[in-house]
Short mmCIF file of all heavy atoms in Angstrom, two decimals:
data_model
loop_
_atom_site.label_atom_id
_atom_site.label_comp_id
_atom_site.label_asym_id
_atom_site.label_seq_id
_atom_site.Cartn_x
_atom_site.Cartn_y
_atom_site.Cartn_z
N GLN A 510 3.93 -22.05 58.98
CA GLN A 510 4.56 -22.25 57.69
C GLN A 510 5.92 -21.55 57.69
O GLN A 510 6.00 -20.36 58.02
CB GLN A 510 3.69 -21.68 56.57
CG GLN A 510 2.41 -22.46 56.32
CD GLN A 510 2.70 -23.86 55.80
OE1 GLN A 510 3.48 -24.04 54.87
NE2 GLN A 510 2.08 -24.85 56.42
N PRO A 511 7.01 -22.23 57.34
CA PRO A 511 8.32 -21.57 57.36
C PRO A 511 8.43 -20.50 56.28
O PRO A 511 7.99 -20.70 55.15
CB PRO A 511 9.30 -22.72 57.10
CG PRO A 511 8.50 -23.77 56.41
CD PRO A 511 7.11 -23.65 56.94
N ALA A 512 9.01 -19.36 56.66
CA ALA A 512 9.21 -18.29 55.69
C ALA A 512 10.43 -18.57 54.81
O ALA A 512 10.55 -18.00 53.72
CB ALA A 512 9.39 -16.96 56.41
N PHE A 513 11.32 -19.44 55.28
CA PHE A 513 12.53 -19.77 54.53
C PHE A 513 12.38 -21.16 53.91
O PHE A 513 12.02 -22.12 54.60
CB PHE A 513 13.76 -19.72 55.45
CG PHE A 513 14.08 -18.33 55.91
CD1 PHE A 513 13.47 -17.80 57.06
CD2 PHE A 513 14.96 -17.52 55.21
CE1 PHE A 513 13.74 -16.52 57.48
CE2 PHE A 513 15.24 -16.23 55.62
CZ PHE A 513 14.62 -15.73 56.77
N VAL A 514 12.65 -21.24 52.61
CA VAL A 514 12.44 -22.49 51.88
C VAL A 514 13.61 -22.74 50.94
O VAL A 514 14.33 -21.81 50.55
CB VAL A 514 11.12 -22.43 51.05
CG1 VAL A 514 9.91 -22.34 51.97
CG2 VAL A 514 11.13 -21.26 50.07
N ASP A 515 13.81 -24.00 50.60
CA ASP A 515 14.85 -24.34 49.63
C ASP A 515 14.47 -23.90 48.22
O ASP A 515 15.33 -23.50 47.43
CB ASP A 515 15.11 -25.85 49.65
CG ASP A 515 15.78 -26.30 50.93
OD1 ASP A 515 16.90 -25.85 51.20
OD2 ASP A 515 15.17 -27.09 51.68
N ARG A 516 13.16 -23.99 47.93
CA ARG A 516 12.67 -23.66 46.58
C ARG A 516 11.36 -22.91 46.72
O ARG A 516 10.43 -23.38 47.38
CB ARG A 516 12.48 -24.93 45.76
CG ARG A 516 12.19 -24.73 44.28
CD ARG A 516 12.18 -26.08 43.57
NE ARG A 516 12.13 -25.96 42.12
CZ ARG A 516 11.01 -26.03 41.41
NH1 ARG A 516 9.84 -26.22 42.01
NH2 ARG A 516 11.05 -25.92 40.09
N LEU A 517 11.28 -21.74 46.11
CA LEU A 517 10.05 -20.94 46.17
C LEU A 517 8.88 -21.66 45.51
O LEU A 517 9.04 -22.31 44.47
CB LEU A 517 10.26 -19.60 45.47
CG LEU A 517 11.31 -18.63 46.05
CD1 LEU A 517 11.43 -17.42 45.14
CD2 LEU A 517 10.95 -18.21 47.46
N ASP A 518 7.69 -21.50 46.10
CA ASP A 518 6.48 -21.99 45.44
C ASP A 518 6.29 -21.34 44.08
O ASP A 518 5.56 -21.87 43.23
CB ASP A 518 5.25 -21.69 46.30
CG ASP A 518 5.11 -22.62 47.50
OD1 ASP A 518 5.96 -23.52 47.66
OD2 ASP A 518 4.15 -22.44 48.29
N ALA A 519 6.91 -20.19 43.88
CA ALA A 519 6.77 -19.46 42.61
C ALA A 519 7.18 -20.32 41.42
O ALA A 519 6.64 -20.15 40.32
CB ALA A 519 7.61 -18.18 42.65
N TRP A 520 8.13 -21.23 41.60
CA TRP A 520 8.53 -22.12 40.51
C TRP A 520 7.36 -22.98 40.06
O TRP A 520 7.03 -23.06 38.87
CB TRP A 520 9.70 -23.00 40.94
CG TRP A 520 11.01 -22.30 41.00
CD1 TRP A 520 11.62 -21.77 42.10
CD2 TRP A 520 11.88 -22.04 39.89
NE1 TRP A 520 12.81 -21.20 41.75
CE2 TRP A 520 13.01 -21.36 40.41
CE3 TRP A 520 11.82 -22.32 38.54
CZ2 TRP A 520 14.07 -20.95 39.60
CZ3 TRP A 520 12.88 -21.92 37.73
CH2 TRP A 520 13.99 -21.24 38.25
N GLU A 521 6.73 -23.67 41.02
CA GLU A 521 5.61 -24.55 40.69
C GLU A 521 4.43 -23.76 40.14
O GLU A 521 3.78 -24.18 39.17
CB GLU A 521 5.19 -25.33 41.94
CG GLU A 521 4.06 -26.32 41.70
CD GLU A 521 3.68 -27.10 42.97
OE1 GLU A 521 4.47 -27.07 43.94
OE2 GLU A 521 2.59 -27.70 42.97
N LEU A 522 4.16 -22.62 40.77
CA LEU A 522 3.05 -21.79 40.31
C LEU A 522 3.27 -21.31 38.88
O LEU A 522 2.36 -21.33 38.05
CB LEU A 522 2.89 -20.59 41.25
CG LEU A 522 1.68 -19.70 41.01
CD1 LEU A 522 0.39 -20.45 41.27
CD2 LEU A 522 1.76 -18.47 41.92
N GLY A 523 4.51 -20.89 38.58
CA GLY A 523 4.82 -20.43 37.23
C GLY A 523 4.65 -21.52 36.19
O GLY A 523 4.15 -21.28 35.09
N GLU A 524 5.05 -22.75 36.56
CA GLU A 524 4.90 -23.88 35.63
C GLU A 524 3.43 -24.19 35.40
O GLU A 524 3.01 -24.44 34.27
CB GLU A 524 5.63 -25.10 36.20
CG GLU A 524 7.16 -24.94 36.23
CD GLU A 524 7.84 -25.94 37.14
OE1 GLU A 524 7.12 -26.79 37.73
OE2 GLU A 524 9.08 -25.88 37.28
N GLN A 525 2.63 -24.18 36.48
CA GLN A 525 1.21 -24.48 36.35
C GLN A 525 0.47 -23.45 35.50
O GLN A 525 -0.42 -23.79 34.73
CB GLN A 525 0.57 -24.56 37.74
CG GLN A 525 1.01 -25.76 38.57
CD GLN A 525 0.48 -25.69 39.99
OE1 GLN A 525 -0.05 -24.68 40.43
NE2 GLN A 525 0.61 -26.80 40.72
N ALA A 526 0.86 -22.18 35.65
CA ALA A 526 0.17 -21.10 34.93
C ALA A 526 0.76 -20.85 33.55
O ALA A 526 0.23 -20.04 32.79
CB ALA A 526 0.22 -19.82 35.76
N GLY A 527 1.86 -21.51 33.23
CA GLY A 527 2.48 -21.33 31.92
C GLY A 527 3.29 -20.05 31.79
O GLY A 527 3.49 -19.55 30.67
N PHE A 528 3.77 -19.52 32.92
CA PHE A 528 4.60 -18.31 32.87
C PHE A 528 5.98 -18.66 32.32
O PHE A 528 6.50 -19.74 32.55
CB PHE A 528 4.76 -17.68 34.26
CG PHE A 528 3.47 -17.22 34.89
CD1 PHE A 528 3.36 -17.12 36.27
CD2 PHE A 528 2.38 -16.86 34.12
CE1 PHE A 528 2.19 -16.70 36.86
CE2 PHE A 528 1.20 -16.43 34.69
CZ PHE A 528 1.10 -16.35 36.08
N GLU A 529 6.58 -17.68 31.64
CA GLU A 529 7.91 -17.90 31.09
C GLU A 529 9.00 -17.83 32.16
O GLU A 529 10.08 -18.42 32.00
CB GLU A 529 8.19 -16.88 29.98
CG GLU A 529 7.30 -17.11 28.76
CD GLU A 529 7.60 -16.12 27.66
OE1 GLU A 529 7.53 -14.91 27.90
OE2 GLU A 529 7.90 -16.58 26.52
#
Side-chain angles (χ1 to χ4, degrees):
Q510 290 294 311
F513 292 87
V514 295
D515 291 298
R516 189 174 190 264
L517 297 175
D518 284 359
W520 285 97
E521 182 179 345
L522 186 65
E524 292 163 2
Q525 291 173 348
F528 298 155
E529 293 181 304

